[in-house]
Amino acid sequence: QPRTAAGGVPVIGRELCIACGSCVEFCPGGAVQLVDGKAAVINAAACSYCTDCEAICPAGAISCPFTVVIVDK
């Protein structure tokens, strides 16, 4: 089903990021990459709003401040 999000993309606290790369590995769209040794959303359009990055981050550096809405068509 199509998913949309109100509120943006994942927010990554660079000061908390330990650069483990888990978010990069688990991001299905490739929206997150390591940049200068820290995770960053490099392609917001590729974010599928799955929230996997938030769930997998061992440092708690990622938050997904959006609401996912499932749309039936």
Side-chain angles (χ1 to χ4, degrees), residues 4-57:
T4 61
V9 295
V11 175
I12 301 171
R14 292 182 58 84
E15 69 284 350
L16 297 175
C17 178
I18 59 173
C20 67
S22 293
C23 56
V24 174
E25 181 179 338
F26 282 88
C27 180
V32 180
Q33 294 294 318
L34 293 179
V35 177
D36 296 329
K38 299 290 181 173
V41 177
I42 61 153
N43 185 354
C47 180
S48 65
Y49 308 106
C50 67
T51 71
D52 286 351
C53 57
E54 180 180 41
I56 200 69
C57 180

